[in-house]
Amino acid sequence: MQFIANLKSLQARDGRAFNIYMAATATGIVTSLFVIYKLTRSTPPTGDDTPLPPLPPPPPTTKESLSSPESSLPTPTTNPNPSSPNSPALIPSPDTIGDSTLPSKAHKKILEERLTQADQKGKALYKNGADYIAAAQCFTEAIVACDEIQQLYPSTNLTKQKITLLNNRSAMYEKGGGEDLALADCDAVLEIDKGHVKARGKKARIFEAKGDMMNALAECCALQLHFMHLNKDKIMKGEHIAPPVDESRLEELTVKCMPLELAAVKQMQEDHLRELEAKGETIAAKLPSKHAIVQLLQSFTSYDLWRSESKADGTVEEITETLDNTGTSNMSPTNASRADLHFKRGRRHALSLDFVSATVDFEKAEEIIAKDANCKALMSHYLDLMEWLGICKHLRYDLEGASKCYQVCLETEPENCEILVKSAGVKMDSGDLEAAEAFFAKALLVNGNDADALLHRSNLNMLKRNLDAAQSDLEKCLSARPDFLIAHLRLATIYMHNSKNSDAEGCLETAASLAPRSSEVHSYKGELFFATGDIENAISSFEKAIECEPTNPTPYVNLALALMNNQAAGKDPYETSAKAIKLLETSLEVDPQFQAAYIHLGQLKLSLCKTIEEASDVIGLYKTAICECRSSDETTDVLKMLVLAKAQVTAANLLGMKSLQF
């Protein structure tokens, strides 16, 4: 939810300057493939579509060797693709090679010449673009000769030449329309050399062309994992080296894989919802964390006003007693009284941070009105009820229901700036930014200095990546209301993003003077310390944020990431990782919907898996995260990580790895 995500201290980090990433350490802690390869790019290695440069001109091509692809394309059953030098199907009969029972240097030379001539002929055919399948046949003849030499003269090592021939033949098959044969040749190469870049890259390309995106992604992940193992020392030292697969390529394939998983994801979410309904936990499960809801409520200037009014209504027990003593007749005046009392009790629950009970009371009042439409005209708090119903529906991502509630309010009070701003928030979450902009414009037309409209429009400008406009809104907001804590924090975020650290520090000092015990203030301070390289003070600030408000999930995640970036010499990195994992798990206990915690926890656990089997737990973690997603954007973010985790596990199996560690 973009609107609520921004109101949750921008926990999704869309507009924040907090770019802490888990770093590779000397003991094998690695980040996800998307993080560890944010290195300086160089021109990526070319594929093997261009075989080795042609040697001197080959002998004249015969009609037989230039037969058409249809007649010459071998079938898999002919075993055209040897993976073993001892494959009997590839050893020519003695009458074609001479007396193979009495190998001699002369005989070896004949085979070597045959290999060379066939190889040259295949390269010439490729260069001329005459007939790719005929070229493949030439490479087959060379492979047969290569295998025979290797069998008859074991001391001769032709492994590299065999790999080259197989690789070149696979290129011809690919260009000639024999994708399955090309894949078989690539597999033969990878049986000899699991890290062969060109063969694995070709497999990825062919799988993608065939629409097999998961296998294409797995092959690319295998390239990355093999690269990491070969270059682990350089990576640990922070040297900038270009990986074999660009980050954008991994992202592209991951996105292409996602539609294949959507049906399963939808089924998981539906099953989860049915389980919650059976347990009667639907409302609690759909609401964000208490911290997130409070952040939303505090972002409006009416926060102190409704709290004061709610206290004046009496305690929950007192309101309940009055409600119990109210008549049970179905007359409209009685129904109006009961609906008002349910509203007051619901608001009193909200004051006590019992948002589940608050929602239940608001909905009971709504039910009374639905059964007796006449009673709403007799209610004292009808519009207040509709506003709170709009908030609760929005929090549970019932965007259509929230819009209808706010529209009822606007029909009576069309210039109510707060309702206009809340309506804009619903449009932001639905992705209709143009409609959101229109609601903000209406609010600011009523009052050009309305602090609520300026604060929340700055969120919209952040989403649109218009930081100058966001900064202007926040500065104007603070001119109208200098004590608006959230506005100071948001402005500090923009300053940090623009590397204006001294200005950010000034904002945070002002915020600290307004709320010295605010968890958010200390968390933002930690981010500023981290941005300036002061990791120790960043850690201290995050710890202070947790102390001030243990129910705030953000500092747990920030502290975990700061610890992972503070791997001092002599420290046990596995002990640090264990602390980080505990912090991330605690964050999820505090807020089971905090997607950033799921993503970082999954990345860290995946890198620490001692066995490939343990990686299935990470996949399970991401599935849990998907069930907790409340918007399509959240689902998309977690689904990317789920797809990548599956691909990494497949890649590790392709490489014969027993774990994903270095």
Side-chain angles (χ1 to χ4, degrees), residues 542-596:
F542 294 141
E543 290 174 340
K544 185 69 174 178
I546 293 171
E547 176 190 332
C548 290
E549 187 181 347
T551 59
N552 182 355
T554 305
Y556 291 101
V557 175
N558 289 350
L559 178 56
L561 302 181
L563 290 173
M564 294 302 296
N565 278 273
N566 192 39
Q567 295 286 356
K571 273 189 176 180
D572 182 353
Y574 287 101
E575 181 179 343
T576 302
S577 299
K579 291 180 180 178
I581 287 174
K582 179 60 178 175
L583 286 164
L584 293 169
E585 289 175 339
T586 303
S587 176
L588 289 173
E589 291 172 6
V590 169
D591 183 357
Q593 298 175 352
F594 196 21
Q595 302 304 316

Side-chain angles (χ1 to χ4, degrees), residues 225-271:
L225 288 174
H226 184 72
F227 170 85
M228 289 163 59
H229 280 255
L230 290 179
N231 297 278
K232 61 181 179 181
D233 292 336
K234 293 180 180 179
I235 293 173
M236 300 302 187
K237 294 176 183 177
E239 294 185 22
H240 287 206
I241 48 179
V245 183
D246 191 80
E247 179 184 329
S248 61
R249 172 69 171 152
L250 288 173
E251 174 77 9
E252 176 189 1
L253 285 174
T254 301
V255 170
K256 287 182 178 180
C257 289
M258 290 169 62
L260 307 175
E261 301 284 331
L262 287 179
V265 164
K266 185 177 180 180
Q267 188 62 53
M268 279 192 293
Q269 292 175 329
E270 290 176 353
D271 291 345

Side-chain angles (χ1 to χ4, degrees), residues 166-186:
L166 286 168
N167 214 22
N168 287 346
R169 186 174 69 174
S170 72
M172 298 304 96
Y173 283 149
E174 182 185 9
K175 290 181 178 295
E179 290 87 356
D180 290 338
L181 293 170
L183 287 173
D185 271 349
C186 290

Side-chain angles (χ1 to χ4, degrees), residues 222-532:
L223 282 173
Q224 300 291 66
L225 288 174
H226 184 72
F227 170 85
M228 289 163 59
H229 280 255
L230 290 179
N231 297 278
K232 61 181 179 181
D233 292 336
K234 293 180 180 179
I235 293 173
M236 300 302 187
K237 294 176 183 177
E239 294 185 22
H240 287 206
I241 48 179
V245 183
D246 191 80
E247 179 184 329
S248 61
R249 172 69 171 152
L250 288 173
E251 174 77 9
E252 176 189 1
L253 285 174
T254 301
V255 170
K256 287 182 178 180
C257 289
M258 290 169 62
L260 307 175
E261 301 284 331
L262 287 179
V265 164
K266 185 177 180 180
Q267 188 62 53
M268 279 192 293
Q269 292 175 329
E270 290 176 353
D271 291 345
H272 179 65
L273 184 58
R274 278 194 291 270
E275 290 176 8
L276 293 174
E277 289 173 346
K279 297 177 182 178
E281 299 175 355
T282 308
I283 293 177
K286 285 189 174 182
L287 285 172
S289 68
K290 291 181 180 180
H291 174 80
I293 297 175
V294 170
Q295 287 291 298
L296 168 63
L297 298 175
Q298 287 180 340
S299 70
F300 291 94
T301 52
S302 62
Y303 181 71
D304 290 332
L305 176 62
W306 72 259
R307 285 169 56 84
S308 176
E309 291 176 348
S310 181
K311 289 177 182 178
D313 289 335
T315 65
V316 169
E317 291 75 19
E318 289 171 343
I319 298 172
T320 300
E321 183 179 356
T322 303
L323 185 59
D324 290 342
N325 292 331
T326 302
T328 58
S329 71
N330 286 325
M331 301 296 291
S332 292
T334 302
N335 287 332
S337 296
R338 294 185 66 80
D340 275 334
L341 287 169
H342 277 296
F343 163 74
K344 289 181 179 181
R345 190 170 69 177
R347 190 169 61 175
R348 194 62 174 80
H349 280 308
L351 179 66
S352 304
L353 306 185
D354 184 356
F355 297 109
V356 173
S357 296
T359 302
V360 170
D361 263 322
F362 294 144
E363 290 185 344
K364 284 183 177 179
E366 184 181 27
E367 290 173 5
I368 292 173
I369 296 170
K371 294 177 181 178
D372 182 2
N374 294 325
C375 77
K376 63 185 179 184
L378 304 174
M379 288 179 62
S380 301
H381 296 282
Y382 175 65
L383 292 181
D384 293 329
L385 171 64
M386 297 309 294
E387 181 178 356
W388 274 95
L389 279 169
I391 292 172
C392 292
K393 290 178 187 295
H394 190 182
L395 288 171
R396 290 182 292 165
Y397 218 71
D398 177 5
L399 303 183
E400 183 178 354
S403 287
K404 288 180 179 179
C405 289
Y406 293 144
Q407 187 57 42
V408 169
C409 297
L410 290 173
E411 287 172 1
T412 303
E413 300 177 348
E415 295 187 347
N416 186 322
C417 288
E418 184 168 336
I419 300 299
L420 287 168
V421 171
K422 289 175 179 176
S423 297
V426 174
K427 295 301 181 183
M428 287 169 65
D429 277 346
S430 67
D432 191 348
L433 302 189
E434 185 176 341
E437 185 71 58
F439 274 113
F440 285 128
K442 288 180 182 179
L444 290 169
L445 187 62
V446 174
N447 179 3
N449 293 315
D450 185 80
D452 294 342
L454 291 166
L455 173 72
H456 290 284
R457 192 173 70 171
S458 75
N459 294 337
L460 175 62
N461 285 321
M462 286 183 185
L463 289 175
K464 295 164 68 173
R465 299 296 190 264
N466 189 348
L467 296 188
D468 290 339
Q471 180 176 330
S472 177
D473 278 343
L474 289 168
E475 289 171 346
K476 191 174 181 179
C477 173
L478 288 170
S479 294
R481 186 183 168 188
D483 63 345
F484 207 167
L485 178 66
I486 294 179
H488 284 289
L489 297 178
R490 298 290 168 79
L491 187 56
T493 292
I494 293 177
Y495 285 146
M496 280 190 276
H497 182 84
N498 291 328
S499 300
K500 296 180 179 179
N501 293 331
S502 60
D503 291 335
E505 185 176 359
C507 284
L508 294 180
E509 288 302 321
T510 302
S513 68
L514 293 170
R517 291 287 299 171
S518 167
S519 175
E520 286 295 296
V521 170
H522 289 291
S523 189
Y524 274 74
K525 277 189 170 184
E527 295 173 20
L528 179 58
F529 281 128
F530 188 90
T532 57

Side-chain angles (χ1 to χ4, degrees), residues 20-22 29-35 561 584 596-609 618 621-622 641 644 648 660:
I20 298 179
Y21 297 102
M22 289 179 285
I29 308 299
V30 298
T31 63
S32 77
L33 296 174
F34 285 133
V35 176
L561 302 181
L584 293 169
Y598 282 111
I599 289 172
H600 288 299
L601 181 60
Q603 290 177 3
L604 182 54
K605 282 191 168 183
L606 195 63
S607 69
L608 294 173
C609 290
V618 175
L621 176 71
Y622 287 142
M641 303 311 299
L644 187 61
Q648 286 179 265
L660 294 178

